Amino acid sequence: GESVGLHLPTLSVQEGDNSIINCAYSNSASDYFIWYKQESGKGPQFIIDIRSNMDKRQGQRVTVLLNKTVKHLSLQIAATQPGDSAVYFCAENAGNMLTFGGGTRLMVKP
Amino acid sequence: EAEVAQSPRYKITEKSQAVAFWCDPISGHATLYWYRQILGQGPELLVQFQDESVVDDSQLPKDRFSAERLKGVDSTLKIQPAELGDSAMYLCASSLVTSGGPFFGPGTRLTVL
């Protein structure tokens, strides 16, 4: 993920629809990945993680998919709700060093 | 539910003054991180501790920033002197190898005037 400063990529979805947020990571040695949700003025909140020996992991209303071939990570949110509106960051861990992507803003329309 | 605690939540200071931030990680978490986040960007690591030892401070501006975790539990990050460009959110996080993460605290919003 590349930082885009103040102009975050934005995904706008209708309440009840599914959301897919994508992330390209850079280090082929990364073996652990995390998705965080960050609401305005708050710290990042851990949503779901996945290790490199898996390609899919599901949580409550969220699914993370990992494609190591193209170094791509995605977060799927089912039945998106207004409370899901936030900035979402992916993070990759290589050698016990965590690096964040630039974030995507999710806006949920009622 | 266990959480990372940080104080203060907000700090306004004038340039050239000294500021300090405190963090108490989740109980039992050996790894503690300090990150800096500029509005609209992802967090960037400043320093990482394993117990009381620094394992990575390559991105810490050591001429003005210092961090310590003397007893391997809570930690303090200090800036002296503060500069206008230091205005940002300072985030503390902690992790345990077997439990994933790191997990973040609420952050300290620093404004330097």
Side-chain angles (χ1 to χ4, degrees):
Chain A
E2 183 177 353
S3 172
V4 291
L6 290 174
H7 303 288
L8 288 170
T10 298
L11 175 66
S12 185
V13 300
Q14 202 70 40
E15 180 179 357
D17 287 352
N18 297 334
S19 302
I20 300 177
I21 301 171
N22 296 304
C23 175
Y25 65 93
S26 57
N27 191 342
S28 57
S30 293
D31 58 3
Y32 177 59
F33 304 86
I34 308 171
W35 278 102
Y36 289 94
K37 171 187 180 183
Q38 188 171 28
E39 296 174 280
S40 181
K42 297 183 178 180
Q45 175 189 355
F46 181 102
I47 300 174
I48 191 168
D49 59 359
I50 188 168
R51 300 201 178 272
S52 59
N53 61 350
M54 304 173 67
D55 53 20
K56 180 179 181 179
R57 188 163 187 227
Q58 289 185 289
Q60 186 176 13
R61 284 202 305 119
V62 294
T63 301
V64 55
L65 298 177
L66 175 63
N67 185 329
K68 294 182 289 293
T69 302
V70 295
K71 298 205 286 272
H72 184 268
L73 195 66
S74 68
L75 176 70
Q76 300 178 2
I77 304 174
T80 312
Q81 302 170 359
D84 296 326
S85 294
V87 177
Y88 290 79
F89 290 98
C90 66
E92 58 180 304
N93 189 315
N96 203 30
M97 176 168 287
L98 192 70
T99 304
F100 282 79
T104 297
R105 185 182 306 280
L106 176 65
M107 297 178 64
V108 183
K109 297 177 287 186
Chain B
E1 182 177 306
E3 295 181 340
V4 176
Q6 289 189 248
S7 68
R9 292 293 312 279
Y10 304 93
K11 179 69 178 179
I12 300 174
T13 191
E14 294 184 341
K15 62 181 181 180
S16 80
Q17 296 298 304
V19 293
F21 312 131
W22 177 81
C23 172
D24 191 13
I26 294 171
S27 179
H29 280 197
T31 308
L32 184 147
Y33 313 76
W34 284 101
Y35 283 85
R36 177 168 59 185
Q37 185 177 28
I38 295 169
L39 187 64
Q41 299 182 15
E44 296 180 328
L45 182 68
L46 292 173
V47 60
Q48 178 176 338
F49 290 91
Q50 184 68 28
D51 298 308
E52 67 277 7
S53 301
V54 173
V55 297
D56 186 354
D57 63 356
S58 58
Q59 300 304 309
L60 188 70
K62 298 181 188 62
D63 56 336
R64 298 184 300 108
F65 286 64
S66 64
E68 59 184 18
R69 193 185 185 198
L70 294 176
K71 297 182 179 179
V73 181
D74 59 339
S75 175
T76 302
L77 178 70
K78 297 179 181 178
I79 308 174
Q80 182 174 16
E83 296 181 352
L84 295 176
D86 296 332
S87 294
M89 175 80 90
Y90 290 82
L91 295 160
C92 181
S94 69
S95 68
L96 189 62
V97 172
T98 54
S99 66
F103 301 91
F104 283 82
T108 296
R109 168 69 67 187
L110 173 66
T111 301
V112 182
L113 303 176

